[in-house]
Each structure stands twice: as C-alpha cells, then as structure tokens.
Amino acid sequence: MTWWRGAAVYQVYPRSFADADGDGVGDLAGIESRLPYLRDLGVDALWISPWYDSPMADGGYDVADYRAIDPRFGTLWDAERLIAAAHAHGLKVIIDIVPNHTSDRHPWFQAALAAAPGSPERARYHFRDAPNNWRSRFGGPAWTRVDDGQYYLHLFDTAQPDLNWDNADVRAEFVSILRFWLDRGVDGFRIDVADRLAKQAGLPDRVAPTRAAPDASVPGVGASKPGVPEATVPTFAGEGPQPDKDQPEVHDVYREWRRVLDEYPDRAFVGEIWVPDPERFAMYLRPDELHTAFNFAFLKCAWEARALRGVIDRTLAAHAPVGAAPTWVLSNHDVTRHATRYGRADTRFTKRVHDVPSDPELGLRRARAAALLSMALPGSVYIYQGDELGLPEVFDLPDGSREDPVFRRTGGADLGRDGCRVPLPWGGDAPPFEFGDGGAWLPQPPEWRDRTAARQLADPASMLSLYRLALRLRRDDPALGDGPMQWLDAPDGVLAFTRGPRFTCTVNLTDRPIPLPAGKPLIASAPLEPAPDSGGAPALPPDAAAWLRT
Ligand code: NOJ
C-alpha cells in the first residue's frame, strides 16, 4: 500500500496542459482527453496544480472556493469524472491544497474586510495596526493597508492574504476540505508553501540573514555565489528558521492532517518545503506527518558529479532516520526549465535570470541524462509537463501577455514564471499546436513544431521516446523506485550506482567518453560509441547516462 514511495508523478499545470473547450485556457476535459497519453507515457500518478475557483491572480494559487472548480476549468462533476477516468487508466490523482493563504475574493476575507478591527472575521487572517519588516516572496512589502488603516499580511501577492493558523476556524475548515476531496477519491495532496503556515507569535521582524540574502522572487532559493568551488557549495545551506517560516507549530497541523488521511487507505501527502537544513526538512517526514516532500536541493544542484553525489547522499541520509522515501525533482511551474538551466555556464538554479545565455543543444543533452539519473534514484520522481518533450524556458513572451504577479511586483526585473508555463505543443505545424481550437493563453514559439508530442512519438530518438522507454523499464524493474542504492567506484566526474544485483546507472559528467561497465545496455540518453582501445566495447559519451543490465 505504498505506491507513493516509488511513483513517477507527472505534474499537470491545468491552464497550460490541454484545452477542450477552445477558450485558449486548458481545462479538466482537456486533461481527461489526454489520459491515454499519460498512461502510455508510463507515469503512475498525476499531480494537478490548483483547479479551484480562483480570480487567477497567481495562476490558481489564490483560491476563492476550495470546494468548487474554476469555471474556466470545468465543474465539480468534471473533476469527479476526471478522478474516475484517471483511476480507470491506472493513474493516481494528487491535488494541490493551498492552506497558507486564500484569495482576497474568498468569502472569509471579504467578511474580514467588512468587519471591524479585532473581530472574529479578522482573526482568521493576520491583521495588524502596523506592519513589520517582512517582504512578499514576489517582491515588495508583505503588508497591504485596508480602508480603516489596519494592514493584512500576505507572504505572496496582495491578492493572497495569509491565514492565521492559530485560529480554530481555519484548522477545522481545512480538515473539512481534506475530507471533501478524499471522499471524492483523490489519492493525495500536494501541500503548497507547507513550511510557512505557522508564524512566530507576535510576528516579530525577520532578522537579517547571516549569509547572502535569499532571492525574493523564488520561494526559498538562496542567492547565487558565483565562483565558489563545487565542493564547498553548501547545497542544503541557506537561511535558518525565520518568524514566517519553519515554525515548530506547523508540525501540529500535519499531525492532525495525517490522522485524517490515515482514515482513508493508501493516500499520501507531498509537501512543498523549501527548508534547506536536512534535519529540519526531515522533521516534516516523521512517521506521523507527511509521507514525502519535494527535493529542491536536487533541483537547485549544478550539473556536476561531486555536487550531485553530495546532494544524493545528503538526501538519503536525511530521509533514512525517519524512514521516508526521497523525491527527485528537476523542474516545476515555478522555476526555469532545466533544459535551459543545464545549457548555461552556471548550471545551478539559484534564482530566475533571463539575460544569461544557454546552449539549447547542450541543455537538452544534459536534460536527457538527468532524466535517466532521476528515474534511477531511490524514491519517487516528478516530471513537470513538457519535461518529457524537452521544452526550454520561453523568455521572449510579449510583456502584455505575462500574467505572473512576480513580473509586476518586481517591475519586470524578474520576468516571472510564465516562461515555464507556455501551453504544451501536442501536434500540428503551427501554434496552438493542437493545445486547443482557440489559441493559447501564452504564445508558443513557432519552432515548437519540432517538439510536438505527435512528432516526437514518431521519432525513436526523441526525448518523448526516451521518457516512455525509461518509465516502462523503471516500472518493470522491481529494483527501481523505492529501495536501496549502492555507489560504484567511478572516475572523477562520473556517477555510477547499482539498484539491486542486476541494474547499474552510469552518468558521464566529464568532457570525454568513458568506458561503460560490463553489462547489457537497456537505455542510453545518447548513442553509445565504441571506446578507444577497448576492442569495440561501448563507451558513454560526455553528458550522457546509461542503464545497464548486469
Ligand atoms: C508555491 C507555488 O508553487 C507557486 O506557484 C505559488 O505562487 C506560491 N506557492 C504561492 O501559493
């Protein structure tokens, strides 16, 4: 009963996945129509980013009604049908839950605005007579003044007021929301901003960080340290607990939620936890709290062997004492797509930048290798929609088409996250590439005609074909997914490990071909070459990975 310990989970960002009604915005019927694609891709579960009724001030992470589907996406009936259809295709469904904040259009916030300072309505949020020094994660102050002179807290956009998790109404409401969706058959929840629900009593000022200041625009991402040698890059290091983050009381919330979830068989939580310290991170994964959490240290890590090995070792070491299964994440709807990141001179993800050149061929080559690496590691793996097509970040969107509040709140200094949210190219030769019949809410680059799912399906050397084969091999091999791994001796710049007695994964991060260990190649991210002086034995080229049956 532990599918989530080793699942391959595909993240659907509903606005940009598939549009069935032709309004240019993806919808639930669109997702349903593409379930055969996802089944054939070989994933085990979907994580669907918020589908709730929302003004879309932050792409749906501003929820006005947690028990209703946004009309742009469909109806509650469509959601129920989608859950049933996914199950019929053998796919689990994880939905997003957004407990840190509501939309400013939520009836509770509207009631709070209409009520007086000190009222029970205001007590569900954080209203104060004077702001503290907290900053919004999207730029600008974290406080907005209302008509009667009080201020309310929003760690994200002004349209996302933070809930007060000391308040009994808030706690009861979310337990009821969890049950509402569990009763409709969802298999789990991805918890948004899971480490920030509890705030330190009295909301004291944040203390100045002792290290480089964290980037304001990406949740939890520390500032870049160019020139720091690889071995000393503290991939997990960053700011410690802060009054608006990683407070001990948050664990009480998850203990209560876990008791609720455990009443339903075979369900799981995955937390969005940007806590850099591995021990503090693992506290969220204690047996009576969350099942899994996203591994952002892996996502942020440079494409360098020692750095990656360090992150993998620290991940395993942090998860082992609490008995939790790790996750491996390369991209999501908040970060620069990794096919672009990996083509840059500095391959770490420290903050979003748009003026740093990237070599698309190199980026794609490394993304192919990274896919095999992430799918071979112990635990579950996350695939963000479009990863399987090797989509790059889109930087040249017209400013007028951008919707991410980060763009506005930083005055355009940060282009925001729209560039990784461009609607998927499914087929055809011109936009909207069969995303739907009515255009696409963000313009797709014309050159995506070579990246469509249909075109890649017909090409055995495509990224999509690589993902499909790798996911099938992963599912068929009981040594993959959850379970132990063992490092093999390997030259500098090479990662090699076994899963069980008969499976080896080798990743070549050097700039020259390396001889492969003995065994039968199952899949390789780039064509294998005969190794020089090896009597014809295969070699793994640079920036490539291979799985071997030994
Ligand atoms: C994290 C989500 O992934 C992101 O898209 C959102 O903007 C923030 N949380 C606020 O909800």
Side-chain angles (χ1 to χ4, degrees), residues 58 61 98 101 138 156 160 190 192-193 219 272 333-334 417 421:
D58 181 20
Y61 284 93
V98 188
H101 43 263
F138 291 166
F156 295 89
Q160 294 167 294
R190 176 267 189 193
D192 188 60
V193 198
E272 187 206 17
H333 64 293
D334 289 331
R417 301 163 292 178
R421 300 173 177 182

Side-chain angles (χ1 to χ4, degrees), residues 339-405:
T340 297
R341 294 187 334 247
Y342 286 158
R344 290 174 167 160
D346 182 349
T347 50
R348 289 169 298 171
F349 183 67
T350 49
K351 63 174 184 169
R352 273 186 305 278
V353 285
H354 54 271
D355 46 3
V356 175
S358 170
D359 172 345
E361 223 166 280
L362 181 64
L364 192 60
R365 183 180 178 84
R366 289 175 171 170
R368 290 175 66 92
L372 293 193
L373 170 63
S374 63
M375 287 187 226
L377 289 168
S380 59
V381 63
Y382 280 76
I383 298 162
Y384 174 47
Q385 65 178 41
D387 285 358
E388 81 282 17
L389 305 176
L391 295 187
E393 187 81 5
V394 181
F395 292 110
D396 57 356
L397 295 168
D399 284 355
S401 71
R402 294 186 189 279
E403 292 200 7
D404 186 1

Side-chain angles (χ1 to χ4, degrees), residues 56 68 87 96 105 129 160 168 174 181 192 250 259 290 293 306 339 349 402 421 423 482 490 495 501 503 523-524:
M56 300 283 161
H87 288 163
D96 229 297
R105 302 280 141 209
D129 292 332
Q160 294 167 294
F174 273 86
W181 291 107
D192 188 60
V250 76
R259 287 194 295 274
L290 308 183
R306 261 187 307 161
F349 183 67
R402 294 186 189 279
R421 300 173 177 182
D482 191 27
L495 298 174
F503 178 96
I523 186 171

Side-chain angles (χ1 to χ4, degrees), residues 228-248:
V228 177
E230 169 196 333
T232 65
V233 173
T235 320
F236 268 110
E239 57 175 357
Q242 285 280 354
D244 60 346
K245 181 175 172 174
D246 194 24
Q247 292 296 310

Side-chain angles (χ1 to χ4, degrees), residues 97-316:
I97 185 138
V98 188
N100 181 68
H101 43 263
T102 67
S103 160
D104 60 350
R105 302 280 141 209
H106 190 285
W108 275 9
F109 193 70
Q110 289 297 311
L113 289 180
S119 59
E121 288 84 357
R122 289 210 173 171
R124 293 172 180 149
Y125 294 89
H126 294 284
F127 278 85
R128 288 287 180 280
D129 292 332
N132 62 16
N133 73 348
W134 297 2
R135 307 280 299 166
S136 156
R137 310 297 299 164
F138 291 166
W143 296 88
T144 290
R145 193 170 181 274
V146 299
D147 285 348
D148 56 29
Q150 278 212 309
Y151 293 78
Y152 68 89
L153 174 69
H154 52 89
L155 291 182
F156 295 89
D157 192 59
T158 321
Q160 294 167 294
D162 276 48
L163 286 163
N164 173 10
W165 275 86
D166 289 334
N167 183 281
D169 289 354
V170 172
R171 294 202 178 210
E173 175 65 356
F174 273 86
V175 166
S176 157
I177 294 165
L178 291 177
R179 288 190 189 283
F180 179 87
W181 291 107
L182 289 165
D183 290 339
R184 278 165 182 75
V186 303
D187 301 285
F189 297 92
R190 176 267 189 193
I191 307 170
D192 188 60
V193 198
D195 51 347
R196 287 186 190 261
L197 273 49
K199 275 75 173 174
Q200 192 176 327
L203 308 187
D205 280 351
R206 278 175 72 101
V207 291
T210 46
R211 295 169 33 85
D215 169 58
S217 57
V218 176
V221 172
S224 126
K225 300 197 107 201
V228 177
E230 169 196 333
T232 65
V233 173
T235 320
F236 268 110
E239 57 175 357
Q242 285 280 354
D244 60 346
K245 181 175 172 174
D246 194 24
Q247 292 296 310
E249 294 76 16
V250 76
H251 297 286
D252 300 337
V253 175
Y254 299 133
R255 281 190 205 101
E256 182 180 10
W257 284 21
R258 180 63 181 257
R259 287 194 295 274
V260 174
L261 211 73
D262 283 349
E263 292 174 27
Y264 297 77
D266 215 15
R267 317 291 169 101
F269 286 120
V270 52
E272 187 206 17
I273 296 167
W274 291 86
V275 171
D277 177 87
E279 276 79 40
R280 295 198 68 86
F281 177 88
M283 287 171 74
Y284 292 79
L285 301 177
R286 288 175 291 193
D288 58 348
E289 297 195 38
L290 308 183
H291 305 75
T292 57
F294 295 128
N295 186 347
F296 292 123
F298 185 68
L299 179 154
K300 288 158 64 177
C301 186
W303 182 248
E304 289 171 272
R306 261 187 307 161
L308 281 166
R309 182 167 172 159
V311 168
I312 294 166
D313 282 341
R314 284 192 291 276
T315 298
L316 298 176

